[in-house]
Amino acid sequence: MSYTVTLIPGDGIGPEVVGAAVRVLEATGLAFQWETENAGASVVGESGTALPPRVLDSIRRNKVALKGPTGTPIGTGHRSVNVELRKQLDLYANLRPVRSLPGVKSRYDGVDLVVVRENTEDLYSGLEHVVVPGVVESIKIITERASTRIARYAFDYARTHGRKRVSAVHKANIMKLSDGLFLDCCRRVAKDYAGVTYDEIIVDNCCMQLVLDPTRFDILLLENLYGDIVSDLCAGFIGGLGMAPGANIGEETAVFEAVHGSAPDIAGKNLANPIAIVFSGALLLDHVGEHDAADRVRRAVHAVLAEGVKLTRDLGGAAGTTEIAEAIAAKV
Ligand code: NAI
């Protein structure tokens, strides 16, 4: 059995960390065909777009992709590749497991939560216009269909992963109609899942409670914007963006990516921590049913972290991206 995977190296440190993930995934002994199709700032010059259609075609054909970070200019320039990918492929669920790691210095122990974020609508629809000079309108779209679909995803995930509680995070006290609709959908779905506790929390309070004690949460279910912010907050509980995996999942296709950016400050220096995308690779293995290989990859990362010898600079060590990748691959 060979898996054909679309590989998007991306910008900045992307090619380095993606290369490291490929090295580790191949160490599992599974056979992969990597179909490399790049996207991001580096292809805009030659393609006229940051997301050439051949990238989408490749993912549609192969069903799964492993993606490095892609740069997006602020305020002007091309649209975010991530937002476009999610929209074009209808990758409606953004999944971010957040779990404390051995040997990694952080403020909390025993964190084990999952952020489930709606990925296709909300203020990320890109519907903005200048009403009159000096006044801009940005439109928040919340639909019953997308809210119900993401709620169902969160509860199904709870069921299949032995999780006990789903907390819907909202601001329905202010956005009574839009966030109100989101909550209505979550409540309706919750009724179908007797074994899973359902509760609700206002987003600002949720952030405070998370910072006080993240171990009290299980699954957080959020709209797109709150989910974007809260998921990065949660990455801080386990050692930062270099450690946090992510997946964007649709009915047909799935794109696995690290949640950090292209880190232009350290690009090309063999300094980047590849663990986030290695963990994303493990999520990819889970997605295609290779749970044993996925567990071996995760255990290998844990072992390298616990040993504390081959660590990258952000983890307090002096190893390069390639060295830590070799160390993980050897444990796999
Ligand atoms: P960033 O995540 O690239 O960098 C923030 C800080 O974290 C930097 O100091 C960087 O060196 C460090 N860092 C990030 N990943 C690291 C890793 N794997 N190992 C060690 N250190 C790491 O965020 P920033 O600077 O806000 O964004 C830079 C570019 O990345 C922007 O163009 C942005 O649009 C893009 N971006 C892309 C994302 C994606 O494709 N998923 C996500 C976030 C940002």
Side-chain angles (χ1 to χ4, degrees), residues 296-308:
R296 276 193 288 140
V297 167
R298 279 187 282 259
R299 283 203 306 271
V301 174
H302 292 179
V304 167
L305 288 172
E307 278 178 8

Side-chain angles (χ1 to χ4, degrees), residues 1 15-16 22 34 62 92 125 140 148 191 198 200 207 220 242 249 261 292 296 315:
M1 174 84 187
E16 297 165 72
V22 165
W34 305 103
N62 299 327
Y92 69 93
S125 305
K140 169 165 172 158
T148 303
K191 291 201 177 99
Y198 170 71
E200 297 168 356
C207 290
L220 297 174
I249 296 173
D292 173 62
R296 276 193 288 140
L315 296 173

Side-chain angles (χ1 to χ4, degrees), residues 13 67 69-72 82 241 257 259-266 272-273:
I13 59 170
K67 176 187 170 295
T70 42
T72 315
N82 297 319
L241 292 178
E257 60 171 354
V259 307
H260 56 73
S262 55
D265 51 331
I266 56 167
N273 177 356

Side-chain angles (χ1 to χ4, degrees), residues 24-234:
V24 172
L25 292 182
E26 288 187 340
T28 60
L30 296 170
F32 294 97
Q33 304 279 338
W34 305 103
E35 202 171 284
T36 303
E37 291 291 356
N38 211 2
S42 60
V43 305
V44 174
E46 81 196 45
S47 309
T49 166
L51 183 57
R54 61 175 187 273
V55 180
L56 292 166
D57 293 343
S58 171
I59 302 173
R60 286 193 179 106
R61 209 168 38 242
N62 299 327
K63 310 294 180 210
V64 282
L66 186 64
K67 176 187 170 295
T70 42
T72 315
I74 292 174
T76 57
H78 65 263
R79 292 187 65 182
S80 155
V81 169
N82 297 319
V83 173
E84 272 310 287
L85 268 178
R86 290 164 190 170
K87 243 172 128 166
Q88 297 285 339
L89 299 173
D90 198 18
L91 303 172
Y92 69 93
N94 186 280
L95 179 72
R96 300 256 204 114
V98 180
R99 189 175 263 185
S100 294
L101 295 163
V104 178
K105 251 209 245 149
S106 62
R107 286 172 198 276
Y108 307 92
D109 291 323
V111 179
D112 181 13
L113 59 84
V114 178
V115 180
V116 174
R117 158 187 169 197
E118 204 291 321
N119 232 356
T120 61
E121 54 179 32
D122 193 2
L123 277 161
Y124 285 37
S125 305
L127 298 171
E128 291 190 318
H129 65 275
V130 177
V131 182
V132 292
V135 181
V136 169
E137 190 172 44
S138 185
I139 299 172
K140 169 165 172 158
I141 306 278
I142 297 295
T143 65
E144 183 177 349
R145 175 177 172 271
S147 302
T148 303
R149 186 164 68 160
I150 194 67
R152 208 160 276 294
Y153 180 89
F155 278 93
D156 280 340
Y157 185 94
R159 227 179 223 173
T160 51
H161 291 76
R163 298 219 163 234
K164 301 275 175 278
R165 185 158 65 106
V166 172
S167 306
V169 183
H170 66 95
K171 192 79 188 174
N173 49 334
I174 305 295
M175 277 159 280
K176 294 179 194 296
L177 286 183
S178 53
D179 286 15
L181 174 60
F182 179 75
L183 284 187
D184 280 346
C185 297
C186 295
R187 285 171 194 160
R188 239 176 284 141
V189 169
K191 291 201 177 99
D192 295 339
Y193 295 80
V196 183
T197 305
Y198 170 71
D199 57 23
E200 297 168 356
I201 183 164
I202 293 177
V203 63
D204 35 352
N205 180 30
C206 177
C207 290
M208 187 204 55
Q209 301 289 347
L210 276 166
V211 171
L212 285 176
D213 181 9
T215 65
R216 71 170 69 165
F217 291 97
D218 193 342
I219 292 181
L220 297 174
L221 166 59
L222 310 95
E223 293 169 6
N224 206 342
L225 176 63
Y226 309 143
D228 194 1
I229 298 166
V230 169
S231 54
D232 271 21
L233 174 82
C234 290

